[in-house]
Structure formats: C-alpha cells, structure tokens
Amino acid sequence: MTALEKATGDVVLKFEPFVLHVLCQELRDAQLLHSVAVDSGFRNSGITVGRGGKIMMAVRSTHCLEVPLSHKGKLMVSEEYVEFLVHVANRKMEENI
C-alpha cells in the first residue's frame, strides 16, 4: 500500500498464468497434446506451424488477472480490495502449480 500511495502514474496488478511450449515432431502429436491440454482445462492452448515446418504446441490456462489500481497517481481502490486481489492472485498461482 505504501508503494501504491507513492505512485505517480498508473499501477496495474497483473497475473499471467502458466505457459508451456512443446516442440512436436508430427502434427498428430501436437493435436493429441492439444486435446489432452484442453480436456485438462487449459482452454487457451494452441498449435502453431512455422514457415520451416516447425510444429509448436502451447499449453496455456485462462487464469489471467489484470486490474488497474491507480490512475495518474490517484489510488482508485481500497486497501481491503487490494488485499482481496492479492488473495485471488495467490490462489491462481496455486492453481498453476
């Protein structure tokens, strides 16, 4: 809270979830891994095929969190709300693990 009160610009609390990139030999391998990832709850997963034929499977979750806390140095939320957001972000981190 001390750092927030001293901020002169915009402050955002941001949590970015787990991402795993897997290089696959065959497209069917990537498709199988994609199915497993999506079925396991990693709904933002996807497959990318590069120009050289490199097949990359990205396993991504949807546990994002991005919340503005201050704008132009003015605190926009209460200390209680910041504590709540930290609790939510910590819970999301535990889900990542």
Side-chain angles (χ1 to χ4, degrees), residues 50-65:
R51 291 182 195 164
K54 183 165 69 169
I55 303 165
M56 186 69 66
M57 167 54 202
V59 179
R60 295 186 197 111
S61 74
T62 59
H63 297 110
C64 298
L65 178 67

Side-chain angles (χ1 to χ4, degrees), residues 4-20:
L4 277 175
E5 291 165 359
K6 292 180 182 179
T8 58
D10 294 352
V11 176
V12 175
L13 174 68
K14 186 172 184 178
F15 174 82
E16 294 185 356
F18 164 84
V19 177
L20 173 68

Side-chain angles (χ1 to χ4, degrees), residues 23-34:
L23 183 62
C24 299
Q25 283 187 317
E26 303 288 333
L27 183 57
R28 69 175 181 266
D29 298 330
Q31 290 169 328
L32 176 61
L33 181 56
H34 181 263

